[in-house]
Amino acid sequence: MTLLELLQLLRKHLKLVVILPLACAVLMAGYSAFLMHDTYTASASMYVLAKDDGESNTNLSTDLNASQMISNDVAKLLTSDRVLSETADEVGLDNLNAYSVSVSSETTSRVIQLSVTGANPQTAADITNSMVDNVSQIAREVMSVESVNAIDRATVPASPSGPNRTLYVAVAFMAGLFLAVAIVVVADMLNTKVRSEDEVEELLGIPVVGRIPAMKEER
């Protein structure tokens, strides 16, 4: 099937091609508006201070690599069971399963970014700040860390960070359009009726020399 034939086929079923994508988009808009809850993201940044930062070091490269390794370890420590459980106890939750925790640490910096996403903006901020405090205490106990200092503590987010309802509606519209095209193409492939002189010639291998027009019934 050529592109021109496909366009002609879609034109014959224009209602389906238009209505189905719009219906999918409207359904997704309604679902996202009434059944998807807003989520809020609270973020904080912290700086890892190693115990030997105040001492002179002859090998700066070795010292930098060691500090970066410590920062990576602290980043992993943020998502440990101990930090998560102690934080949950402090904020009055059984666990933090309802909240998403994201930690990022660059290889060339000792700054760690922490983000917590959940349905309650105040709780998300409380969890973030509590995790910063807990990881600093635990890191001092089990690692060569002087402290983990908060650069920017989390504040209560004023606006939701998700879900991206516009994106969901756009994806639903495109999915509906793809489904409509698929239905039209499959239906055309399953239709075995002979609908034109070209199809007759292709099937029989002989030229068409005439045709009988359809007659309207007289009433």
Side-chain angles (χ1 to χ4, degrees):
M1 180 183 294
T2 65
L3 179 59
L4 181 59
E5 291 174 339
L6 177 60
L7 293 176
Q8 292 175 344
L9 187 61
L10 295 178
R11 186 177 179 181
K12 292 180 181 179
H13 302 83
L14 189 59
K15 284 186 177 181
L16 177 64
V17 175
V18 173
I19 293 176
L20 186 56
L22 290 177
C24 291
V26 170
L27 289 175
M28 177 54 69
Y31 175 80
S32 62
F34 297 104
L35 297 179
M36 284 187 178
H37 300 292
D38 290 337
T39 57
Y40 299 83
T41 300
S43 301
S45 59
M46 61 204 81
Y47 182 82
V48 179
L49 182 64
K51 285 184 177 180
D52 57 352
D53 278 356
E55 302 177 2
S56 60
N57 295 290
T58 56
N59 193 333
L60 295 179
S61 177
T62 302
D63 177 59
L64 179 60
N65 291 334
S67 298
Q68 290 169 357
M69 291 179 63
I70 292 175
S71 299
N72 292 335
D73 292 340
V74 172
K76 293 181 180 179
L77 186 61
L78 276 165
T79 57
S80 65
D81 291 338
R82 180 177 175 182
V83 172
L84 295 178
S85 62
E86 290 186 4
T87 299
D89 291 339
E90 289 183 2
V91 298
L93 297 175
D94 294 333
N95 54 63
L96 301 183
N97 294 339
Y99 290 82
S100 174
V101 177
S102 175
V103 182
S104 62
S105 175
E106 297 182 3
T107 58
T108 58
S109 172
R110 283 188 283 179
V111 176
I112 300 174
Q113 300 288 340
L114 171 65
S115 297
V116 176
T117 302
N120 189 304
Q122 181 64 60
T123 304
D126 293 342
I127 290 174
T128 305
N129 291 324
S130 178
M131 289 182 68
V132 173
D133 296 336
N134 287 330
V135 78
S136 179
Q137 179 180 351
I138 296 173
R140 289 198 303 269
E141 295 177 4
V142 301
M143 300 169 60
S144 298
V145 173
E146 180 68 26
S147 64
V148 180
N149 299 323
I151 301 174
D152 295 312
R153 296 188 68 84
T155 58
V156 179
S159 58
S161 58
N164 191 339
R165 293 181 172 84
T166 302
L167 177 61
Y168 289 153
V169 171
V171 171
F173 179 85
M174 295 303 298
L177 181 61
F178 176 81
L179 181 61
V181 173
I183 292 175
V184 170
V185 172
V186 171
D188 182 72
M189 293 175 61
L190 296 177
N191 188 352
T192 58
K193 293 181 179 179
V194 178
R195 289 159 289 181
S196 66
E197 296 89 343
D198 294 335
E199 291 184 2
V200 172
E201 292 181 354
E202 183 178 350
L203 290 172
L204 301 179
I206 56 177
V208 175
V209 296
R211 57 178 295 183
I212 300 175
M215 303 294 294
K216 293 183 179 180
E217 296 181 0
E218 294 183 359
R219 295 182 181 180

